[in-house]
Amino acid sequence: LWRVVDAIYEKGLQEPDLFSAPGIPEEVKQIREALDTGGPFQEASVYSYVDTFLQFLSSLSVPVVPSTLFPTVEINSENIQSMSRKFLEDLTPIHYNVFVYIISFFR
């Protein structure tokens, strides 16, 4: 996760349509191969790194935010702080770390 996010950060967060434009399939395949083997990344577009990142998140057997933690009540200005705190406390440590890392990246 860190390698892909770092590559996205270095290659250009300012690109238009970054999370809606597809990557180049051959580049995505090469990025995944580098991740699987621990090898270096070859030159690829930032869109291919984003595509790989999104595929990774989509392929997790348990989502970063499990559906059991979806809010069951409406969140409003009066309860957002307590609901947010409870949500973070209820995440398992690994899910918490990944969630915070991704949110930090998007800031």
Side-chain angles (χ1 to χ4, degrees), residues 57-73:
L57 293 176
S58 296
S59 70
L60 294 173
S61 60
V62 177
V64 175
V65 178
S67 61
T68 57
L69 295 183
F70 290 176
T72 55
V73 297

Side-chain angles (χ1 to χ4, degrees), residues 64-66 69 86-96 99:
V64 175
V65 178
L69 295 183
K86 175 150 178 38
F87 165 75
L88 292 172
E89 289 171 353
D90 289 347
L91 285 171
T92 64
I94 189 72
H95 288 106
Y96 174 87
F99 180 80

Side-chain angles (χ1 to χ4, degrees), residues 20-51:
S20 58
I24 299 166
E26 185 58 36
E27 290 180 353
V28 171
K29 183 178 175 184
Q30 291 171 352
I31 293 166
R32 291 180 70 161
E33 180 68 24
L35 291 169
D36 289 345
T37 63
F41 289 136
Q42 296 179 8
E43 190 60 36
S45 77
V46 68
Y47 297 99
S48 296
Y49 285 98
V50 170
D51 202 347

